[in-house]
Amino acid sequence: MNKQIEATRRRVTVKDVARVAGVSAGTVSNAISGKRKVDHETRARIDKAIKELGYVPNLAARGMRTGRANTIAIFSSMPTAVAAGSARLGFLMEVAASAAVAALERNVALVLVPPIEHPETALGTIPFDGAIVVEPEVDDPYWKVLRDRGVPVVIIGPPPEAPAPAVRVDHATIATMLIGHLLDCGAREIPLIVGRSQRQSNRVFRETYEARMAAEGLPARVIEVSEAEGELGAEAALLAELDAGRSMDGVLAPIDSMAAGAMAALHARGLRVPQDVRVATRYDGFRARSQTPALTALNLRLDEMAQLATTALLDQLEGMSEPVYLDAPAPELVVRGSTVPRD
Amino acid sequence: MNKQIEATRRRVTVKDVARVAGVSAGTVSNAISGKRKVDHETRARIDKAIKELGYVPNLAARGMRTGRANTIAIFSSMPTAVAAGSARLGFLMEVAASAAVAALERNVALVLVPPIEHPETALGTIPFDGAIVVEPEVDDPYWKVLRDRGVPVVIIGPPPEAPAPAVRVDHATIATMLIGHLLDCGAREIPLIVGRSQRQSNRVFRETYEARMAAEGLPARVIEVSEAEGELGAEAALLAELDAGRSMDGVLAPIDSMAAGAMAALHARGLRVPQDVRVATRYDGFRARSQTPALTALNLRLDEMAQLATTALLDQLEGMSEPVYLDAPAPELVVRGSTVPRD
DNA sequence: AAATTACGTTAAATCGTTTTAACGATCCCG
DNA sequence: CGGGATCGTTAAAACGATTTAACGTAATTT
């Protein structure tokens, strides 16, 4: 009953519990983990001792013995993150939130590793058993290190290397849905504003766009904007296009910051959205929703993707299953005011 | 040069490095940590050996010896989270993103602990040296356990107990700003839609509202809605109010889901926002921005708050400073279409 | 020249848990 | 009655790092 308020109190260990309960340390361990059978009555004594002493296991020691940290990390790499701006972060955080819940349900904690300056350093400081890598680049630094170290990894996004465990996101499908929607809305002159970097998503988007436009017998116009320029870059590029007298009745800008830039350009030239020009983007985040009118986008079902990835990773860690290759759930079109007039 | 591809390879330890470098394990440790001086030339040998062997330190072992996990956790508690819905999560994730960056800059990883069913269980599985607790309730389960265990904690929000290290958020200021703005916009009949639970923020908001309305000689009308009912509850409550013939030209709904419900009710009765009724809410998140028109809200500067809290916590952990009590940065009003006509 | 200090290094102890192999006791079966 | 099985338990050996106290040598002071 007496609250021992000593300045420095030795940590309560499994040995202390053992002594009080009149058993050996090993038995206490077994009682806690449930790995081996322990007599019902002795277990009761142990439980009592634990409560009495306020024992809380030392996770570092446990981890050292078992070789597991009971932790997984979620990574998103640097370069494009800064470039693609808040979108990327929002994307990552949406995934992380869902992954954290899924992981905790299996008593594993999630370590959040946002894009930072020096990835390598961080990697050495963070204890984790496996990782989820969000939309890695082709030569993603995180992914490469993890793979080389033999850390179990599940990717969310298109896998950068042929057979890698991943929740596969098919950018072609995404592109097709968005283009199809713009066409359905009656748009015929639809420039594509796309990132200049060699990321897979840019490439696939572009190819899919060109193929589809060709199939429809419509002109394809690709406007490349450096990711680093983001919103302003896209605005400038579209203004140039408009001022050069090239007409348009739709704009497809998968990267949401660029879509925002496009909106600004259209407004500046007095074009009405959606009456004159329809606009669509990919990720239905902050950015897309803050426009007026809000942008038509896709519900990528990030929560489901995160859950899939997390359970796949944990199954793999527990040896319950081989590495798997899953397909992301089909995205859903979220139609908003930027393509269909509201109210 | 030969890639040893053995089925099971013993982990490379500090001893292996020591052997190769021709020194003792202790010296390798010193070289790595930089805690004691190591001859320049031997350090070079050690570095070489490390690279050669691909040594990566075992963090569990290190943690066991040092007693530090190099990890902090960020918590948000259960009950209201589910109630307040996505808003709460968005809030948490915004804070977490920023905290993660701040922590990683000091080589500490951030563990994300979203609201879950059984907080106690999780606590026992997660290794962390300190914690950030986001907007704890008066009797917050997480906070109580952490305090009892003597884990260093910094709170973001109003502190539930007199002197607790915190980044203090002043709900009175927040309430004052929002009410002031609605008044400035010309609103005179402004019901307050507030949560029914005994959370501090509800109480403070309500008191501030009543005081201010009294001071202005205006009628105060408080509509209580149970947090669990959220959006629909608020909608129903406001519909009832309207149908009872009580007129209004403003609505203050701090909880964003309830603000959404209010918008629905107003639309349903053909009232125009902002021409007939001005609407404002507190947190400028997803919800607020997705309304048409988007809701006027506050930029609470969560990123700065998170950064403050994180550095305060880490300073405390490193013994660099005593527990501190900081004030959150002043919020900024974000005026949107729900109070001021746009375009 | 003797005494002291400073420096870099080391062997050994230590952190607290899980796991291993072995143990005695009890029970079952032939 | 003796030879397994079965059961619950235990003592001791890991796990891999950091830290302690002590050491020899070289440099500096007295």
Side-chain angles (χ1 to χ4, degrees):
Chain A
M1 257 321 169
N2 58 329
K3 295 220 176 189
Q4 305 201 13
I5 309 183
E6 295 175 29
T8 163
R9 176 141 51 120
R10 205 173 53 78
R11 173 177 195 114
V12 178
T13 78
V14 82
K15 275 189 180 170
D16 300 319
V17 175
R19 188 166 23 74
V20 171
V23 294
S24 79
T27 302
V28 174
S29 175
N30 288 333
I32 292 175
S33 67
K35 281 211 173 58
R36 286 189 211 323
K37 212 162 181 66
V38 173
D39 188 85
H40 192 80
E41 194 260 339
T42 59
R43 155 162 296 164
R45 287 211 315 279
I46 292 173
D47 287 346
K48 181 155 157 278
I50 287 180
K51 202 156 286 175
E52 212 163 82
L53 299 176
Y55 167 72
V56 13
N58 180 324
L59 297 173
R62 173 181 293 171
M64 160 142 143
R65 186 63 243 226
T66 61
R68 300 219 19 195
N70 274 313
T71 277
I72 60 176
I74 185 164
F75 291 93
S76 176
S77 40
M78 169 75 186
T80 46
V82 171
S86 66
R88 182 81 169 194
L89 248 188
F91 192 95
L92 172 63
M93 297 313 289
E94 262 194 78
V95 173
S98 189
V101 173
L104 274 180
E105 258 154 28
R106 293 172 66 168
N107 279 327
V108 170
L110 183 109
V111 179
L112 185 59
V113 187
I116 46 168
E117 290 288 342
H118 303 294
E120 326 75 33
T121 327
L123 272 176
T125 336
I126 306 172
F128 60 95
D129 304 321
I132 294 175
V133 180
V134 175
E135 297 228 306
E137 320 262 325
V138 180
D139 272 322
D140 193 271
Y142 281 136
W143 186 67
K144 271 162 62 175
V145 173
L146 294 171
R147 183 201 46 188
D148 290 349
R149 283 206 198 159
V151 178
V153 169
V154 171
I155 289 162
I156 289 184
E161 210 169 75
V167 174
R168 271 184 300 217
V169 174
D170 182 13
H171 284 291
T173 306
I174 290 176
T176 304
M177 288 181 72
L178 291 173
I179 300 167
H181 175 66
L182 288 172
L183 291 170
D184 289 347
C185 293
R188 287 297 170 266
E189 297 181 286
I190 315 172
L192 170 74
I193 303 182
V194 74
R196 180 168 290 141
S197 80
Q198 283 310 308
R199 304 188 60 204
Q200 267 199 59
S201 60
N202 290 334
R203 220 199 53 230
V204 173
F205 235 95
R206 183 183 179 137
E207 289 168 1
T208 310
Y209 164 81
E210 286 169 341
R212 179 66 182 271
M213 294 305 268
E216 301 280 341
L218 296 172
R221 274 148 59 189
V222 177
I223 305 177
E224 281 191 345
V225 175
S226 148
E227 268 94 344
E229 321 237 318
E231 180 161 355
L232 293 178
E235 181 177 357
L238 199 61
L239 282 176
E241 189 83 1
L242 288 167
D243 294 343
R246 302 202 195 93
S247 68
M248 59 189 71
D249 52 10
V251 172
L252 177 53
I255 299 177
D256 63 355
S257 59
M258 297 188 184
M263 291 291 284
L266 294 171
H267 282 149
R269 289 298 172 264
L271 291 165
R272 291 168 307 162
V273 176
Q275 295 87 342
D276 302 326
V277 182
R278 291 134 203 100
V279 179
T281 189
R282 173 175 40 186
Y283 168 55
D284 181 31
F286 247 60
R287 267 311 224 314
R289 301 188 196 200
S290 316
Q291 304 299 316
T292 39
L295 300 186
T296 288
L298 293 180
N299 173 6
L300 299 169
R301 301 166 71 183
L302 299 184
D303 50 345
E304 293 172 55
M305 287 175 42
Q307 199 166 323
L308 281 174
T310 306
T311 48
L313 180 60
L314 292 181
D315 286 353
Q316 191 182 328
L317 284 176
E318 288 172 13
M320 289 171 50
S321 82
E322 290 302 292
V324 284
Y325 321 98
L326 305 165
D327 283 313
E332 291 165 353
L333 197 63
V334 180
V335 179
R336 293 241 177 68
S338 71
T339 56
V340 172
R342 309 248 101 169
D343 298 17
Chain B
M1 257 320 169
N2 57 331
K3 295 220 179 191
Q4 304 200 14
I5 309 183
E6 296 174 27
T8 163
R9 178 143 47 124
R10 204 174 54 77
R11 174 177 193 115
V12 178
T13 80
V14 83
K15 273 189 181 171
D16 300 320
V17 175
R19 189 166 22 76
V20 171
V23 294
S24 80
T27 302
V28 174
S29 174
N30 289 333
I32 292 175
S33 67
K35 281 210 172 58
R36 289 191 208 325
K37 212 162 180 65
V38 173
D39 188 87
H40 192 80
E41 194 260 339
T42 59
R43 155 161 295 165
R45 288 210 315 279
I46 292 173
D47 286 346
K48 180 154 158 279
I50 287 180
K51 201 156 286 174
E52 212 164 81
L53 298 176
Y55 167 72
V56 13
N58 180 326
L59 297 173
R62 174 181 294 171
M64 160 140 134
R65 185 65 244 231
T66 61
R68 300 220 19 193
N70 275 312
T71 277
I72 60 177
I74 185 165
F75 291 93
S76 176
S77 42
M78 170 75 187
T80 46
V82 171
S86 65
R88 182 81 170 195
L89 249 188
F91 191 95
L92 172 63
M93 297 313 288
E94 262 195 78
V95 173
S98 189
V101 173
L104 275 180
E105 258 154 29
R106 293 172 65 168
N107 280 329
V108 171
L110 183 110
V111 179
L112 185 60
V113 187
I116 47 167
E117 290 288 341
H118 303 294
E120 326 75 32
T121 327
L123 272 177
T125 336
I126 306 172
F128 59 94
D129 304 320
I132 293 174
V133 180
V134 175
E135 298 228 306
E137 320 263 323
V138 180
D139 272 322
D140 193 272
Y142 281 136
W143 186 67
K144 272 162 63 176
V145 174
L146 294 171
R147 184 200 47 186
D148 291 348
R149 283 208 196 158
V151 178
V153 169
V154 171
I155 289 161
I156 289 184
E161 210 169 76
V167 174
R168 271 183 299 217
V169 173
D170 183 13
H171 284 291
T173 307
I174 291 175
T176 304
M177 288 181 72
L178 291 174
I179 300 167
H181 175 66
L182 287 172
L183 292 171
D184 288 348
C185 293
R188 287 296 170 268
E189 297 182 286
I190 315 173
L192 170 73
I193 303 182
V194 73
R196 180 168 292 142
S197 81
Q198 283 310 308
R199 303 187 63 204
Q200 269 199 58
S201 61
N202 290 334
R203 221 198 53 229
V204 173
F205 234 95
R206 182 182 181 139
E207 288 168 3
T208 310
Y209 164 81
E210 285 169 343
R212 179 65 182 269
M213 293 305 268
E216 302 280 342
L218 297 171
R221 274 148 60 190
V222 177
I223 304 176
E224 281 190 346
V225 175
S226 147
E227 267 94 344
E229 322 239 316
E231 179 161 355
L232 294 178
E235 181 177 357
L238 199 61
L239 282 176
E241 189 82 0
L242 289 166
D243 294 343
R246 304 204 193 91
S247 67
M248 60 188 70
D249 52 10
V251 172
L252 177 53
I255 299 177
D256 64 354
S257 59
M258 297 188 183
M263 291 291 283
L266 294 171
H267 282 149
R269 290 296 172 265
L271 291 165
R272 291 167 307 161
V273 176
Q275 295 87 341
D276 303 326
V277 182
R278 291 131 200 102
V279 179
T281 190
R282 174 177 38 188
Y283 168 54
D284 181 32
F286 247 62
R287 270 308 227 314
R289 301 188 195 200
S290 317
Q291 304 299 316
T292 38
L295 300 186
T296 289
L298 293 180
N299 173 7
L300 299 169
R301 303 168 67 185
L302 299 183
D303 50 346
E304 293 173 55
M305 288 177 38
Q307 199 165 322
L308 281 174
T310 307
T311 48
L313 180 60
L314 293 181
D315 286 353
Q316 191 182 328
L317 284 176
E318 289 172 13
M320 289 170 51
S321 83
E322 290 302 292
V324 284
Y325 320 98
L326 304 165
D327 283 313
E332 291 165 352
L333 197 63
V334 180
V335 179
R336 293 241 177 68
S338 72
T339 56
V340 172
R342 309 249 99 169
D343 299 15

